[in-house]
Amino acid sequence: MKYAEILHRCFRCGYCKFTLDYENFNCPPYRKYRFDTFAPGGRMWLIRAWLNGEIENSERFQEILYSCATCGNCVEHCAFTFRENLVDIFIAAREELVNGGRIPPSVRDYFKAISIHGNPYNLPAAQRSSWAADLPVQSYDGQEYLLYIGCVGSYDERGRKIAQAVSRNLIRAGISFGILGEREPCDGNEVRVLGEAGLFEYLAENNIALFRQLGVRKIITLDPHAFNAFRKEYPAFGGDFEVLHYSQVLSRLIESGELKPGDFPVRVTFHDACYLGRHGGEYEAPRRILRAIPGVELVEMRQNRENALCCGGGGGNFFTDILGGEGDSPSRIRVRQAVETGAEILVVSCPQCAKMLEDAIKAEGLDDKLVIRDVGELLDASFREN
Amino acid sequence: MDRIVQALVEIVGTPYVSDSAEERYFYGRDPGLMPAHAPDYVVLPRSVEEIQAIVRLAGREKIALVPMGAGMSLSGLVIPQRGGIVLDMKRMDRILKVNEAARYVVVEGGTSTGKLHAHLNRYYPRLRFSTPDSPAAATVAANVMIHGQGRLTQQQGFNSDMVSGLEVVLPSGELCRIGSCALSDDWFSKGPPLPDLSGLFLGWFGATGILTKVGIKLYPRKKMRDVEIFITDSPDFVPGILYELTHTEMAEDINIFAQPLPLIFSGNHHIVIYFTGDSAEEMELKKRILFHALDGFIRNKDGGFMTVGEGMKKTLLDMPQRSATTFADVTKGGGFEYSGPIVPIDRYPGCSRKLDELAVKYDLKYHATARIIDKGHAMMFAFSFTFNRADEDMLNRTRMALSEASEYALSIGGLFWKPTLDEQRIALEKMDPQTARLMKRIKEELDPQGIMNPGNWEGI
Amino acid sequence: MYQLKFDEKRCLGCPDGACLVQCQYLNFEADPARKEMVKIFRGEDSPVLQDCVTCYACEEYCKRGNHPFYLINERREDKGILTAPRAITRQWIHIGEPKGKYELGKIGKIALSFGFMPQLKEITRGRLFEDVMPSYFFGQEFFCNVVYIHFADTKVFKERLPVVIENIHKLGVEEVIFLHDECYAAFTSLAPAYGMEVPFKSVHYFEYLYNRLTALKDRIKPLNVKVVYQRPCSNRLCGDSHLFVQKIMDRIGATLVQRTYQDETALCCGSIFRAMYGYDLMADVQGRNLEDMAQSGAEYCIFNCHGCMNALSPLVAARGMTPLHMIDLCRMAIGEKPEGGQ
């Protein structure tokens, strides 16, 4: 297993579980399960035990490994120098499970769907751009930017609304962009983090070839997961593109005056997406957009930026639902944190966060207190209202 | 389903019971060197009532019980020697009340020191507690249970001395209040002026009962905090230096460290002096007094105040001090363990030389750290070795070095701190026989079935 | 072996005994001063050997080319008279020990020396250095080893300095710009005083900065700020570089406020006194120096040495002045914004 030489260096001290100031536990599965085995230190020791033959692959072991949301809180807060590889280690362990052929059924189903249909919904490629039916969104044909929507934005009901809002903003600003529609492939980020290295390699190579063939130079992603894959993982396969998250593009347009948001008086709070924030290093672009909308009052949750609590959708859990949504699941804790700020809107920058947190609001019975809006949707609304 | 699992599920709920191989593996070991012993069950209780029910179940079924916090003693104190049920207390992590005027806080049995630290920082900027050097996940209850130390130990004594009350579940399942809280709503004393019953529980590692609530004293937190380091080239000067420093009553914490690497530290003993104040004047006054206390040593060239760079200062002032934990990875091996006996401060030179000797004999990477307790009435001297968990031979050599260190500590009149099972046995053997017998009577009276963290404080 | 070039005759014929007369810590008239230095040279006991605080100033005060402080240092070592506590000296010897962890940039004929001060690596950015960067070297292998003259020691630099000279020579550099006084003084004062050959040209960074500012003068916007300058002990070993302070200030439109403790009467930062003597002398010197700075109404206190900066920055800031390194001040003058300011 890759990184196996790091495993024994874990001291199981527990710094990985916390926020920076120790106010709260911030590892999503640890918050839910509360067994130390579900914290990063637990995984490190158990993976080592498994590789040494001291324990066997079991349902519980798979649950422990696959409940990790790959949120990166441990990478941020572990006390040791090998912290930067922690999430890599958990993914490497999943790769070992995949190679051994004994993985949770939901994970296997995910790989199957991607392999056969190119998306986790088992829906036809032809439906991939139906979200854009009523919009003057062009097909990609050498424009300055490729707008990459991703599977969630293309097929998920909630995700589509975000795709529409973001597109409207880009059109408004006169950005030259196009979408791939039915030709759009899966970026593969979830395939990779769920441990199917071979399938990910296949996707990456094919996608890079496709992009090159089409002359793609710059990519705007809707989903931070795609942002991560294109920016951090594709270069190893020869992918050399300028990759931006749409919040970065929109915030630049607002700053340069090309987009002038309208009034939208409301109190909001902002949830950092793990793959934009901790993994992507971008905490400010969405906030700049919010602060630029007249009337918007941005109140921060205590756990923000590097200390944000993951919605629980990462690590493939959005699709496999292993971390789940009952009881003290992170998404439910997160919406409670949002309500505490007195905000009416919990703003997100990722379609997966949007869906996870919306479901959590329903489960918590907080529908009358809080709604979810993607930052692109809020910006869009500020224009439409005026 | 296993009958016991069923019973536990009825008490705490399905998600919070496990008899899986994974939990049994993880909770059967700690990051130190003690051998592993798997529990049969791991449970995560949330309330006192749940704990009482579990204790009564264990009593009926004669199953061993091991309450634990974060398991960071490193001396194997919560490794279940006879299987049974591990109670991971960390779900009971509320901060129940802070009484600002009387300066105390009451926390549940699984509240982490990190959470308490953050809570006070945010809501009570004029109050602090004696933050230990252990990782933030360590619990307040476990820290006082093992007579841990912290940043205020130089001024106030062991962290257990700063306990202001306890709530305990006895091995019978009964709930008991210890201290002023037995008579009133206030948790300002763990015993005095009445007979002090806290000694029936503190230091027993759970062998006499489970701490479900702990009151601890809080102390004034000043706005400023700084650190200076006095270095000397011989351990023989250290006791005299400490005596002078403690006489001033100006210091917060006083630690000493000595290590061969990195080279900048080699050959010297570093006395790290922390002090606090609410104003620049107060800080300057304390600094002046502390400096002048050591004029004699400076004049004789026996020691001097070194320049503390910005990076080093930041590391030293960090609370909890993460560098205490990162020592574990010096060999890129993820482990360290120390024997940290409590000794009078004049034993420092002997301990320091002994440690150098052991490190050479067993070819180990090491450092010495010491912390002053209660204005110099004693010190904790740590013979600390860092090891590579994947190197079996190194693990064995480390065990041998620690064993010799313990022997030495006893021979010079020291007391084991958080003793391993072996050290407990040695202590009981060497102890005044009447004292040992009294301990045995207490243990048998409170825990006649011997189900509470068995193996500990036994064999009298 | 290396021997200090000290000429007794120069002391005998000295008109003013300036070294000990001007000394800020001892009390001598001209005639006794002359005699005392001769006594010291001849190996006799002298209160100077106990009482000198190692501020280096007499190296500057002596206008006759002798080396009074280097002599005091030699005699102390001969007699086993320690200045610093043994532990401090030991620590410093360890700090300067070559560790094989040096760094080399793209070395050309001209190179910057960072000694082994990491702060110097951080501060050397921007246009001022673009004609020589990335030609630089860093590490204990290039450490000047001058600091040990504070500690009544000549053995360490006699052993290490020739190796350092060789290390630099091996890089093929012909000219080195030194970013710290002691580095520069090692090769222009100490090495020659001991007869060590230096096969490269040494340039003090003040001179380099002045020349660069002249070349970039179209970019300079006068700063119009009042500043005070903290002159380090080490600058006494390379007094020629001090002349550039005023010249730089004039070039960048900064007013160097005249104060009591400046030029030859400058006060050192006191961090060595702290290690050697404890509280009182350090507090006295720092107190007088800061009071003097505060009265000037200056906005910035300009530093030449990171040792001084570490010791005095908090005190300077508490008095409402911003601590800033000379390089950062010059960067500001050409419109560059150094991060962090220090």
Side-chain angles (χ1 to χ4, degrees), chain C residues 297-330:
Chain C
E299 225 178 294
Y300 293 94
C301 174
I302 304 304
F303 288 93
N304 172 13
C305 160
H306 281 93
C308 295
M309 274 190 102
N310 286 336
L312 296 179
S313 289
L315 300 175
V316 156
R319 297 283 196 134
M321 290 172 277
T322 305
L324 199 63
H325 191 275
M326 179 68 90
I327 292 176
D328 281 337
L329 185 70
C330 294

Side-chain angles (χ1 to χ4, degrees), chain C residues 131-144:
Chain C
D131 67 338
V132 64
M133 280 294 264
S135 174
Y136 73 88
F137 50 83
F138 167 86
Q140 279 93 340
E141 284 73 7
F142 306 105
F143 175 43
C144 61

Side-chain angles (χ1 to χ4, degrees), chain B residues 123-369:
Chain B
Y123 297 110
Y124 298 95
R126 299 189 77 206
L127 295 176
R128 62 184 295 201
F129 73 109
S130 182
T131 316
D133 291 333
S134 45
T139 61
V140 174
N143 176 254
V144 303
M145 171 57 90
I146 62 168
H147 295 301
Q149 300 107 50
R151 287 295 179 200
L152 297 178
T153 289
Q154 189 278 134
Q155 291 174 328
Q156 312 293 344
F158 293 93
N159 282 6
S160 45
D161 290 330
M162 299 180 232
V163 167
S164 70
L166 299 170
E167 181 191 79
V168 190
V169 172
L170 300 176
S172 59
E174 291 159 310
L175 193 62
C176 198
R177 289 261 168 122
I178 305 294
S180 62
C181 60
L183 280 150
S184 85
D185 286 332
D186 281 313
W187 292 58
F188 62 86
S189 169
K190 66 176 166 76
L194 299 174
D196 189 347
L197 302 179
S198 64
L200 296 174
F201 304 100
L202 296 173
W204 288 85
F205 312 143
T208 53
I210 300 174
L211 303 184
T212 48
K213 291 184 180 59
V214 179
I216 62 164
K217 294 180 191 168
L218 301 173
Y219 293 87
R221 186 207 319 223
K222 304 288 182 89
K223 294 190 187 115
M224 304 173 183
R225 187 166 179 256
D226 202 359
V227 61
E228 296 286 359
I229 304 180
F230 189 80
I231 58 176
T232 179
D233 63 334
S234 165
D236 295 322
F237 296 116
V238 172
I241 290 167
L242 294 171
Y243 191 83
E244 294 306 328
L245 286 173
T246 48
H247 178 85
T248 67
E249 297 188 300
M250 290 289 122
E252 179 218 64
D253 193 8
I254 302 176
N255 299 342
I256 306 101
F257 74 87
Q259 53 195 74
L261 294 168
L263 190 59
I264 180 180
F265 295 142
S266 175
N268 286 336
H269 298 260
H270 305 73
I271 293 106
V272 185
I273 309 157
Y274 294 86
F275 53 103
T276 61
D278 268 338
S279 67
E281 286 84 3
E282 189 179 347
M283 294 295 278
E284 197 61 32
L285 173 69
K286 287 188 174 176
K287 186 163 142 179
R288 182 157 59 83
I289 292 173
L290 288 164
F291 268 61
H292 277 310
L294 302 179
D295 275 343
F297 294 94
I298 297 172
R299 235 186 337 265
N300 293 338
K301 314 297 177 194
D302 294 334
F305 283 93
M306 64 175 262
T307 305
V308 186
E310 217 178 291
M312 193 174 180
K313 210 169 248 216
K314 195 159 173 285
T315 302
L316 290 171
L317 291 172
D318 196 19
M319 267 204 291
Q321 198 174 317
R322 284 158 81 101
S323 62
T325 296
T326 57
F327 181 60
D329 204 33
V330 165
T331 65
K332 302 243 181 317
F336 80 91
E337 191 169 327
Y338 59 103
S339 175
I342 310 298
V343 298
I345 65 175
D346 65 2
R347 311 288 200 263
Y348 181 91
C351 289
S352 168
R353 295 197 166 93
K354 189 65 180 174
L355 175 57
D356 289 341
E357 188 193 298
L358 291 173
V360 169
K361 180 173 175 184
Y362 292 104
D363 186 27
L364 295 169
K365 295 228 186 334
Y366 71 102
H367 70 184
T369 53

